[in-house]
Amino acid sequence: MSGTRTLAITPGRVTALKGLAMLLVAILALILPLIAPDPATTGMAVFTVMYIGLASAWNIMGGYTGYISLGHAAFFGFGAYSFGLMINHLNMAPGYLPFVLVPVAGLLTAALAVGIGWVALRTRAATFVIVTIAFMFMLQLLGENLVKLTGGGAGLALPYSHDWGGDFFNIPYYYAMLALAVLTIGVSWWIRRSKFGLGLLAIRDDEDKALAVGVPTRSFKLTAFVISAVLVGMIGAVYAYYVTYLYPQFAFDPLIGISMVLMAFLGGLGTVSGPVIGALLLEPAQMEFAYRFGASRLYLVFYAAVFLIVILLLPRGIVPSVADLVHSWRRRRQAGPTAGGSRNAPVSAGEEPPATAQQRLASP
Amino acid sequence: MSLLEVKDLSKRFGGVVAVDSCSLSVPAGSITGLIGPNGSGKTTIFNLVTGFIAPDGGEVHFKTRSIAGLGPDRIYALGIGRTFQLARIFPRLTALENMLVPVRRAGLRALLSQGQWGHEKERAMEMLAFMDISQVAGTLGGALSYGQRKLLELAAVMMAGPELVLLDEPAGGVNPALLERIAERIRQLNQQGTTFLLVEHNMGFVMNLCHEVVVVHQGRAIAKGNPREVRENPAVLDAYLGT
Ligand SMILES: Nc1ncnc2c1ncn2[C@@H]1O[C@H](COP(=O)(O)OP(=O)(O)OP(=O)(O)O)[C@@H](O)[C@H]1O
Ligand SMILES: [Mg+2]
């Protein structure tokens, strides 16, 4: 009996466990460059943290409202080019100072997102998906054809700091990406718990019903879309500074857009931690795969395989599936002694245990 | 004094005239019934009044202002709530979260704040208890029975304290015991000050509950009066017998 006690998963313990895990991940993320300073590891870390931010930012729109954008690479590329053009035209010396341009790139992306959102959000479901993809390719095309501005297919070169050589080169970018990822997760968490966030989830479930109970769906959707885009645009800006060379087909890469979606799906759509877990699993795996099989398009096969596995085995993603598992395990534990203890135990089948209601009350 | 005034409202879908210069009014403080044969335009009238579809012509006045052409969220904010013919709730939100979606959102601060739930959660739990479904507060909407959904939808629409509530077949598809409970709750809410306009095919339900009944046929209001008058009106009998 005492063994059961120590093993019991109580809501309090789950929260404590979650807190502990988060603390560990945070500490690990902060000191990673100290533990593993080699450029191969820190380079991989830059991209992994970048995708944590991207997937979490995408999830604010796609996960919460259910509006699947496959064209978020438009904002990534736009943020990247905004940053590149600003740093070049302002003749800024490379170093730490140009990072102040990251929020500016975010603001410019906001303006673009208001425009795109205004048009795209007149449509629903499949049409919305197509419209977002169309905008992405439009921007890619502009990047290729506005040669005077972007350098077109020849690319746009950005200055980089010669002081940041060797092992140190990745470090500033790593922390910049980490800061943006933390910001994005924070925003996502805040939204998830606010009235605004509940309105978004209501839109995901039934948009007309949400309208009927007073959710201003148009402005809510547009706000979520713009927040999501701004975060992606800022991450794109840091990416630009990091890779120091921009090409339209890589900055506006449809695969970047698909990757963030896939990571959010794998981890669990509409949860705060899901996209983080999805990115932590997928990005290193994808980089490893690309490394082993050369820069060939073979990793597309990998992506397709992951997508199929997710859809078939974990249609709701890792986090919700695990949560369900824990939930049903706990219920069985609770029900176990009662059902076994007495034959006439008044087990009300199908009734929620009161604890569940209380617990949900504590956190909507 | 009438709370809602509909004048010469019209709506056609292609060749179908769903609502045909229909006029009706809902007295403040009343429970008004809207009855008529299948396809006579009742749900379309609801959709027009609540802003889900735009009228081809006519006027809708709520209290003193014209509301035709406003969006559903604005109309809800002005104080008109509605339920749907087939109970519609948010399936992936818990019953309690379903209750919290309709609360009023005043300004950006309230929207972004997290600390304001306390009071609203309390009210939501009271409302759930009033409907006798507080035991499912933590259950996902999608896991509720049809009857529980009906009760939850009614409870949730009351959360923002609407002055007028439009109910589309509140007793449709529920068992007689629950039907009695729903009637009782509507009566109680009405006594507390909410005006109701309800569509219902169950004549016993309408005759028992409503102070006033409006009959629509082929998109037009053909009769109105108290339940007894309407029941004895030959035009109404004709409409229902399909002549
Ligand atoms: N969105 C629509 N598009 C086309 N026709 C519609 C639409 N909505 C309603 N109609 C038509 O308008 C007429 C009135 O429909 P409505 O749903 O308002 O009737 P109702 O009185 O609510 O019927 P019921 O009692 O069966 O619910 C019907 O002929 C219907 O087919
Ligand atoms: Mg109807």
Side-chain angles (χ1 to χ4, degrees):
Chain A
M1 223 34 203
S2 64
T4 322
R5 283 254 165 110
T6 42
L7 273 176
I9 308 175
T10 63
R13 277 188 199 148
V14 169
T15 313
L17 219 68
K18 266 192 205 163
L20 196 69
M22 266 167 59
L23 195 70
L24 278 176
V25 171
I27 291 174
L28 192 69
L30 271 177
I31 61 168
L32 185 83
L34 298 177
I35 314 170
D38 63 296
T41 310
T42 49
M44 192 184 257
V46 170
F47 280 104
T48 305
V49 174
M50 175 177 106
Y51 270 106
I52 289 176
L54 289 176
S56 297
W58 179 88
N59 184 55
I60 291 173
M61 182 66 192
Y64 294 163
T65 72
Y67 274 74
I68 307 294
S69 158
L70 287 184
H72 257 46
F75 305 121
F76 182 79
F78 186 82
Y81 269 96
S82 308
F83 182 89
L85 292 172
M86 279 191 291
I87 196 174
N88 283 347
H89 282 93
L90 294 173
N91 264 323
M92 249 186 186
Y96 291 106
L97 190 61
F99 281 115
V100 304
L101 293 178
V102 171
V104 183
L107 277 181
L108 292 173
T109 312
L112 175 75
V114 169
I116 292 183
W118 194 261
V119 177
L121 288 168
R122 290 182 178 276
T123 63
R124 285 188 187 184
T127 323
F128 175 80
V129 182
I130 307 295
V131 172
T132 58
I133 297 176
F135 271 113
M136 203 255 339
F137 280 115
M138 243 162 72
L139 278 155
Q140 192 190 63
L141 217 65
L142 283 176
E144 270 159 12
N145 289 300
L146 296 176
V147 179
K148 281 225 175 93
L149 188 67
T150 64
L156 181 73
L158 276 66
Y160 62 94
S161 176
H162 295 275
D163 305 338
W164 299 349
D167 278 0
F168 188 72
F169 183 79
N170 289 330
I171 310 292
Y173 303 104
Y174 172 76
Y175 282 111
M177 284 294 189
L178 189 62
L180 285 177
V182 169
L183 173 72
T184 305
I185 295 166
V187 169
S188 174
W189 177 83
W190 191 19
I191 289 177
R192 180 69 179 78
R193 295 173 48 107
S194 68
K195 290 181 189 180
F196 172 58
L198 190 59
L200 297 181
L201 295 178
I203 290 171
R204 172 198 69 186
D205 269 17
D206 185 340
E207 189 166 347
D208 284 331
K209 173 68 190 180
L211 259 180
V213 290
V215 178
T217 53
R218 265 189 74 81
S219 56
F220 269 37
K221 284 186 294 182
L222 189 62
T223 307
F225 189 70
V226 172
I227 292 174
S228 165
V230 166
L231 292 163
V232 168
M234 290 201 290
I235 294 169
V238 175
Y239 163 86
Y241 197 24
Y242 178 55
V243 297
T244 69
Y245 225 96
L246 292 175
Y247 297 96
Q249 72 267 34
F250 294 133
F252 298 103
D253 186 350
L255 280 171
I256 292 177
I258 290 172
S259 299
M260 35 182 142
V261 180
L262 192 50
M263 288 162 185
F265 260 91
L266 175 67
L269 226 53
T271 61
V272 176
S273 56
V276 179
I277 291 170
L280 275 175
L281 291 175
L282 272 193
E283 181 53 19
Q286 190 239 292
M287 286 180 79
E288 180 68 18
F289 204 81
Y291 170 73
R292 275 177 194 252
F293 297 93
S296 70
R297 289 295 199 178
L298 250 181
Y299 73 95
L300 288 180
V301 178
F302 165 78
Y303 261 43
V306 171
F307 194 68
L308 282 177
I309 291 169
V310 172
I311 293 294
L312 292 176
L313 298 181
L314 291 170
R316 293 170 52 219
I318 293 170
V319 171
S321 304
V322 171
D324 272 5
L325 224 71
V326 170
H327 186 71
S328 66
W329 196 62
R330 196 157 69 211
R331 274 174 98 168
R332 224 172 304 140
R333 290 253 151 189
Q334 277 176 355
T338 325
S342 141
R343 241 176 231 192
N344 304 324
V347 181
S348 47
E351 289 273 342
E352 277 282 317
T356 318
Q358 291 301 107
Q359 177 200 334
R360 293 301 305 221
L361 192 62
S363 58
Chain B
M1 196 201 88
S2 57
L3 190 58
L4 181 77
E5 189 83 51
V6 172
K7 224 182 270 158
D8 298 326
L9 200 62
S10 296
K11 181 71 192 179
R12 60 168 71 234
F13 297 108
V16 181
V17 181
V19 178
D20 187 6
S21 69
C22 178
S23 299
L24 61 91
S25 65
V26 179
S30 71
I31 301 177
T32 301
L34 184 63
I35 63 170
N38 287 114
S40 55
K42 305 179 297 290
T43 298
T44 306
I45 291 171
F46 272 22
N47 286 336
L48 290 167
V49 170
T50 53
F52 273 90
I53 52 181
D56 294 333
E59 289 167 38
V60 182
H61 284 271
F62 178 60
K63 291 191 277 189
T64 52
R65 66 176 289 180
S66 164
I67 57 166
L70 295 182
D73 50 330
R74 288 279 298 121
I75 288 177
Y76 183 82
L78 287 175
I80 304 181
R82 76 170 292 184
T83 63
F84 290 87
Q85 190 162 341
L86 297 167
R88 264 165 99 168
I89 43 110
F90 302 108
R92 288 154 73 192
L93 301 183
T94 65
L96 180 59
E97 285 167 335
N98 265 274
M99 298 291 292
L100 295 175
V101 174
V103 299
R104 282 187 197 280
R105 299 170 173 75
L108 200 63
R109 269 250 302 286
L111 207 63
L112 295 178
S113 69
Q114 307 190 350
Q116 299 216 338
W117 283 124
H119 169 66
E120 281 151 347
K121 266 184 194 163
E122 232 167 76
R123 256 183 6 93
M125 287 307 293
E126 276 167 27
M127 199 63 190
L128 287 174
F130 173 69
M131 293 287 170
D132 300 320
I133 48 170
S134 42
Q135 78 280 6
V136 296
T139 308
L140 289 183
L144 298 178
S145 71
Y146 186 70
Q148 287 168 335
R149 285 177 204 211
K150 280 268 179 200
L151 291 167
L152 176 61
E153 192 184 27
L154 179 55
V157 82
M158 298 306 303
M159 276 300 286
E163 283 176 73
L164 172 67
V165 177
L166 277 49
L167 303 172
D168 202 347
E169 304 198 11
V174 304
N175 66 50
L178 188 54
L179 191 139
E180 193 40 55
R181 195 203 295 177
I182 290 174
E184 190 48 40
R185 293 300 174 266
I186 293 172
R187 197 174 287 126
Q188 282 169 305
L189 290 168
N190 176 246
Q191 274 157 11
Q192 289 161 23
T194 312
T195 304
F196 286 94
L197 174 64
L198 62 89
V199 165
E200 189 46 67
H201 285 293
N202 183 323
M203 281 309 135
F205 187 90
V206 172
M207 297 299 156
N208 270 329
L209 198 58
C210 297
H211 309 122
E212 185 135 348
V213 177
V214 178
V215 186
V216 286
H217 180 47
Q218 296 175 345
R220 308 183 72 106
I222 57 162
K224 69 168 204 159
N226 66 42
R228 193 167 36 80
E229 288 164 5
V230 164
R231 200 164 29 188
E232 287 158 6
N233 187 323
V236 176
L237 291 173
D238 281 355
Y240 270 93
L241 294 173
T243 47

